[in-house]
Amino acid sequence: MDAPRRTRNGPRRSEAARVAVLRAADDLLVDSGFQAVTVGSIAERAGVSKQTIYRWWRSKIDILLDVLEEDLPDDVTSRPPGTESAQEVLTGHVTHLNRVFTRSDTGRVLFVLIGHALQDATTASALRNQVLDRRRGHARARLRNALACDAPGALPRQEADRLLDLLAGPVFHRAFMTGRPTDPLFAERLAATVLTCRQGTPLDGAPAAGPTL
């Protein structure tokens, strides 16, 4: 058994038991849907007590947040930073989002948490702060590096975030509203359209402001 892991709240826990709980929650969600995911059903499938789970997590939502944090793939590339064009980076990001939304069990966990977040501000905050912001930071850094190679001058953080928003919206809409994945041509054209919007002026028509890390 691996060394015990200390959680954010302090208690020490067995790594093997932690992994069993996360896998049990993920499997139950995929096999039986959100309503079947309860602390009791997770405990039974993982082979631990409910009391043990409640020492580490406050609810099944907290467990699913940890499932998502662990399983959500990073938007990574094997190419060295600064060697990809902006078109390549944006197209790759669209392809990555499509993979998450439509081709993985992780996408199901994400959609369940998004649905719950719409009704619960605490879940919404935890989803952003615990999981999504870090991955958005990776995507932002890749985009800013790529645009710095394509054109002189640093891309302000605020404008990079607008570009990422323009990419994510259509992919999410297509996956959620139609259930259809994006194809390579869709990804390429979306990336090209967003880059065209960016040329010349900031996306909101006003001078870009905010920190430029």
Side-chain angles (χ1 to χ4, degrees):
M1 184 178 295
D2 295 330
R5 168 175 168 169
R6 184 175 296 277
T7 70
R8 300 177 189 84
N9 296 325
R12 298 183 69 83
R13 62 187 179 188
S14 158
E15 179 66 10
R18 183 189 74 88
V19 171
V21 168
L22 298 185
R23 287 178 178 170
D26 198 3
D27 290 345
L28 281 166
L29 181 65
V30 171
D31 294 343
S32 305
F34 181 67
Q35 296 303 320
V37 181
T38 65
V39 171
S41 63
I42 294 171
E44 182 178 358
R45 181 170 288 209
V48 302
S49 69
K50 291 173 65 174
Q51 290 77 11
T52 296
I53 290 180
Y54 280 124
R55 284 203 302 268
W56 303 338
W57 294 279
R58 292 169 296 182
S59 68
K60 68 178 183 180
I61 294 298
D62 284 339
I63 297 173
L64 290 175
L65 283 167
D66 274 2
V67 170
L68 183 63
E69 183 178 18
E70 185 154 302
D71 291 349
L72 192 64
D74 286 321
D75 182 8
V76 297
T77 177
S78 59
R79 296 176 61 176
T83 61
E84 297 175 289
S85 69
Q87 174 71 33
E88 289 172 325
V89 169
L90 268 64
T91 302
H93 187 62
V94 170
T95 302
H96 165 75
L97 291 174
N98 169 65
R99 210 162 38 236
V100 170
F101 291 156
T102 65
R103 300 183 182 178
S104 69
D105 294 341
T106 305
R108 183 173 300 189
V109 179
L110 176 60
F111 278 127
V112 163
L113 288 170
I114 289 173
H116 196 75
L118 292 174
Q119 306 174 49
D120 181 73
T122 300
T123 299
S125 178
L127 180 59
R128 288 191 297 267
N129 297 333
Q130 182 176 323
V131 182
L132 301 181
D133 281 354
R134 180 168 64 87
R135 284 165 173 81
R136 186 178 180 87
H138 292 166
R140 183 193 302 120
R142 284 186 62 203
L143 176 59
R144 295 175 79 186
N145 286 337
L147 285 171
C149 292
D150 282 4
L155 177 69
R157 171 173 172 162
Q158 192 174 52
E159 189 175 349
D161 283 340
R162 295 191 190 105
L163 291 173
L164 294 175
D165 289 342
L166 286 174
L167 291 174
V171 183
F172 182 88
H173 180 274
R174 188 172 177 123
F176 186 75
M177 298 298 293
T178 72
R180 293 186 293 123
T182 61
D183 54 72
L185 182 60
F186 180 97
E188 291 174 7
R189 287 182 173 176
L190 176 57
T193 299
V194 169
L195 284 175
T196 300
C197 290
R198 191 252 169 181
Q199 290 176 354
T201 60
L203 297 175
D204 60 0
T212 55
L213 301 181

